[in-house]
């Protein structure tokens, strides 16, 4: 007769029964679905964002073409075509002519203006490093044909940097003012210190500026005087119309794409919570098992150490040390874990002492079983669910604590965590200024991650507590 194989059980349940019990409640199903979303988005962020995204995030030049304080692009689908979107002009004609040692490059494109608020700025971007070292830089003249039949001629402007900002050039400002003076008899229409670009898309009606909607045709002629006539080519030339709305989640004070910042926060905040919880649980399990299993002086010493850790003011100490030593976010994670394991260790110790006093443990000792055998076969299988439960319940606290530290501008504020986004939102008065897209999404995501782990812990309670399972 074949010997029946012993079935592996934890707290009297097989692994399949544990899974079934977890998913038997609506809470478990919701927790699992939300947890899958959290993992999928975190993996997507790791795959799509560059490894050095923290450096990219802190490089202002990377975001200089984006509008500042811009709401999300989908806002126009709700309130109508009010704000001009960000446009990267790709559909343009590009012709080259050579005459008398001068290269003439003509770029022509059209845009349809149908919004109440015009574009903030027009950028001409040349991504060829040779532009910096030319003794006589290229120049550009621009003619804009407006829907009402009028035209505005701008330039010539030197192209001697990677990004040429059209509207802030004093020459362009004076040319736009001259156009309004001759066409509408209005002087100094462009306020001092402002860009002239929005006024390319206005007309005057009854003495008031009004949006002039319709098709606009732009003709840009680049004059290249150097023998290196290819310094401006189709591959390296970009034309950007800076909008007043941007992306899925808008922008902040520096033009950061907040959608990318929120996306980057998923793996960072999840890693922070899981790493902190893992360290807490490892320390708690070691201290709790040793104290509860061996007892005596060892138990007394470890419990006094545990009491000391429990009494430590973790959050104030974390603030002080972050200020004094300029800690990174990972330094803060390790410190937070080191001062947060006390309560979990006491729970593990209490469980070990209860199990140790059971009759089957005494029988095993009488039969000559070693301490390690008893620990491996009788004790660990019973506390594994509680260990996982403690791991889950410690994650939200770690995430909320580290987000609070980031909100104060400490412990790795160079990373685009959700707490860091809220810190800068508060620093620049986003809430009082009505920049809700800068405040609400990161706050909701912090709450979302905390709720995911809280629901997971609630769904796990019947597994770790037989009284709930059996009534």
């Amino acid at each position: 007769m074949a010997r029946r194989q012993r079935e592996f059980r934890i707290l009297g349940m097989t692994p399949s029964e544990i899974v079934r019990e977890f998913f038997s409640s609506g809470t478990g199903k919701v927790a699992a679905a939300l947890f899958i979303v959290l993992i999928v988005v975190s993996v997507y962020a790791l795959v799509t964002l560059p490894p050095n995204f923290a450096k990219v995030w802190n490089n202002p030049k990377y975001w200089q073409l984006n509008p500042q304080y811009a709401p999300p692009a989908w806002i126009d689908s709700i309130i109508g075509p009010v704000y001009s979107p960000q446009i990267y002009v790709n559909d343009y004609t590009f012709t080259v002519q050579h005459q008398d040692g001068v290269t003439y490059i003509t770029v022509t494109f059209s845009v349809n203006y149908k919004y109440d608020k015009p574009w903030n700025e027009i950028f001409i971007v040349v991504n060829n490093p040779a532009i910096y070292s030319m003794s006589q830089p290229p120049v550009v003249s621009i003619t804009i044909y407006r829907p009402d039949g009028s035209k505005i001629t701008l330039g010539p402007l030197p192209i001697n940097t990677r990004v040429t900002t059209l509207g802030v050039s004093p020459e362009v400002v004076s040319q736009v003012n001259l156009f309004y003076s001759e066409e509408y008899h209005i002087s100094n229409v462009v306020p001092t210190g402002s860009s002239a670009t929005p006024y390319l898309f206005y007309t005057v009606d009854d003495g008031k500026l009004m949006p002039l909607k319709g098709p606009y045709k732009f003709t840009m002629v680049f004059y290249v005087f150097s023998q290196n006539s290819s310094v401006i080519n189709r591959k390296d030339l970009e034309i950007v119309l800076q909008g007043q709305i941007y992306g899925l989640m808008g922008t902040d004070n520096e033009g950061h794409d907040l959608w990318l910042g929120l996306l980057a926060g998923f793996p960072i905040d999840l890693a922070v919570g899981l790493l902190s919880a893992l360290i807490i649980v490892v320390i708690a399990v070691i201290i709790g098992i040793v104290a509860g299993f061996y007892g005596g002086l060892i138990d007394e010493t470890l419990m006094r150490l545990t009491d000391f850790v429990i009494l430590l003011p973790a959050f104030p100490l974390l603030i002080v040390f972050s200020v004094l030593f300029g800690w990174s976010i990972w330094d803060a994670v390790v410190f937070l874990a080191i001062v947060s394991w006390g309560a979990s260790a006491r729970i593990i110790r209490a469980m070990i002492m209860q199990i140790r006093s059971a009759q089957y443990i005494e029988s095993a000792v009488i039969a000559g079983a070693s301490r390690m055998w008893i620990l491996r076969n009788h004790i660990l299988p019973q506390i594994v669910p509680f260990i996982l439960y403690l791991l889950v319940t410690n994650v939200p606290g770690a995430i909320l604590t580290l987000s609070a530290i980031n909100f104060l501008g400490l412990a790795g504020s160079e990373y685009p965590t959700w707490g860091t986004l809220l810190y800068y939102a508060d620093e620049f008065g986003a809430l009082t200024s009505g920049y809700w897209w800068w405040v609400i999404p990161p706050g909701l995501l912090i709450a979302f991650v905390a709720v995911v782990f809280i629901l997971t812990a609630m769904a796990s309670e019947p597994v770790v507590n037989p009284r709930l399972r059996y009534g």
Side-chain angles (χ1 to χ4, degrees):
M1 184 176 179
R3 184 180 178 182
R4 185 178 180 181
Q5 187 177 1
R6 182 182 177 186
E7 193 174 32
F8 178 73
R9 289 180 175 271
I10 299 175
L11 293 177
M13 302 176 68
T14 63
S16 61
E17 289 173 342
I18 291 175
V19 173
R20 210 162 37 242
E21 182 67 34
F22 182 87
F23 285 101
S24 65
S25 65
T27 302
K29 294 182 179 70
V30 172
L34 294 180
F35 194 79
I36 290 172
V37 170
L38 182 59
I39 296 298
V40 169
V41 176
S42 298
V43 172
Y44 175 78
L46 291 173
V47 171
T48 56
L49 297 178
N52 62 336
F53 185 70
K55 291 184 179 180
V56 172
W57 184 262
N58 292 292
N59 180 11
K61 290 184 178 180
Y62 186 87
W63 312 98
Q64 69 181 111
L65 304 182
N66 292 352
Q68 298 177 349
Y69 303 108
W74 46 262
I75 200 74
D76 266 6
S77 64
I78 298 175
I79 63 175
V82 175
Y83 299 100
S84 298
Q86 185 94 345
I87 293 181
Y88 298 88
V89 180
N90 297 315
D91 185 16
Y92 58 79
T93 61
F94 187 95
T95 59
V96 181
Q97 293 180 327
H98 303 277
Q99 184 177 351
D100 299 329
V102 179
T103 301
Y104 301 87
I105 301 171
T106 304
V107 174
T108 304
F109 65 92
S110 298
V111 293
N112 185 25
Y113 174 58
K114 56 182 179 180
Y115 309 96
D116 295 339
K117 297 181 181 295
W119 289 281
N120 292 326
E121 192 53 87
I122 297 175
F123 298 108
I124 301 172
V125 184
V126 179
N127 293 309
N128 192 334
I131 202 79
Y132 308 130
S133 57
M134 300 180 69
S135 57
Q136 187 174 5
V139 297
V140 61
S141 291
I142 305 170
T143 303
I144 304 168
Y145 299 91
R146 291 156 45 95
D148 61 357
S150 63
K151 68 177 182 179
I152 303 176
T153 301
L154 307 176
L157 302 174
I159 306 295
N160 52 12
T161 60
R162 175 180 173 269
V163 178
T164 300
T165 306
L166 186 66
V168 298
S169 166
E171 185 173 359
V172 169
V173 171
S174 63
Q175 288 169 331
V176 172
N177 280 331
L178 179 61
F179 169 80
Y180 274 87
S181 177
E182 293 177 346
E183 193 79 14
Y184 304 110
H185 308 292
I186 297 178
S187 59
N188 298 322
V189 69
V190 182
T192 303
S194 299
S195 171
T197 296
Y199 299 90
L200 301 175
F201 304 95
Y202 281 123
T203 186
V204 176
D205 185 11
D206 195 21
K208 296 180 180 180
L209 290 175
M210 300 292 292
L212 179 61
K213 300 180 181 181
Y216 286 74
K217 180 181 178 182
F218 287 74
T219 300
M220 297 183 175
V221 181
F222 296 86
Y223 303 86
V224 182
F225 306 101
S226 169
Q227 292 182 348
N228 185 11
S229 59
S230 63
V231 66
I232 296 178
N233 56 77
R234 192 180 188 95
K235 177 183 176 182
D236 294 326
L237 179 65
E238 295 180 55
I239 300 168
V240 180
L241 277 65
Q242 186 188 72
Q244 298 203 22
I245 52 178
Y246 187 90
L248 286 174
M249 289 296 173
T251 64
D252 61 9
N253 62 302
E254 290 190 356
H256 292 128
D257 186 345
L258 290 177
W259 163 246
L260 296 180
L262 294 170
L263 194 62
F266 273 91
I268 295 175
D269 283 57
L270 186 60
V272 162
L274 289 176
L275 179 60
S276 178
L278 183 63
I279 297 173
I280 289 172
V281 170
V282 168
I283 297 175
V285 167
I286 294 173
I287 297 295
I289 288 178
V290 172
F293 196 65
Y294 288 93
L297 181 60
I298 294 177
D299 179 33
E300 185 69 21
T301 303
L302 291 178
M303 284 304 98
R304 297 294 75 74
L305 174 62
T306 302
D307 292 339
F308 174 74
V309 170
I310 292 175
L311 292 174
L312 287 175
F315 190 69
L317 286 176
L318 185 56
I319 294 175
V320 171
F321 289 139
S322 296
V323 172
L324 290 177
F325 303 114
W327 277 354
S328 71
I329 192 169
W330 307 115
D331 297 326
V333 166
V334 173
F335 176 81
L336 180 64
I338 290 175
V339 297
S340 304
W341 54 265
S344 298
R346 276 204 166 273
I347 294 173
I348 296 293
R349 171 186 175 269
M351 292 180 60
I352 298 297
M353 294 186 70
Q354 183 179 7
I355 297 170
R356 191 184 66 175
S357 63
Q359 289 186 354
Y360 60 87
I361 298 293
E362 295 179 359
S363 300
V365 172
I366 294 172
S370 66
R371 288 178 181 269
M372 290 304 299
W373 189 92
I374 294 173
L375 183 65
R376 184 176 64 252
N377 290 277
H378 287 302
I379 294 180
L380 285 180
Q382 295 195 60
I383 67 170
V384 164
F386 291 94
I387 292 174
L388 297 177
Y389 181 78
L390 290 174
L391 181 67
V392 170
T393 54
N394 275 291
V395 170
I399 291 177
L400 293 174
T401 302
L402 268 299
S403 295
I405 284 292
N406 291 155
F407 178 72
L408 298 176
L410 302 172
S413 57
E414 71 275 7
Y415 288 94
T417 64
W418 300 327
T420 302
L421 293 180
L422 289 175
Y423 164 72
Y424 285 106
D426 179 67
E427 185 78 9
F428 289 91
L431 192 59
T432 55
S433 301
Y435 306 137
W436 53 267
W437 58 89
W438 194 359
V439 179
I440 295 177
L444 288 178
L445 286 177
I446 292 172
F448 166 75
V449 175
V451 167
V452 169
F453 284 94
I454 290 171
L455 290 177
T456 304
M458 291 172 61
S460 303
E461 285 181 351
V463 176
V464 299
N465 190 346
R467 293 180 181 178
L468 295 178
R469 191 159 68 239
Y470 300 115

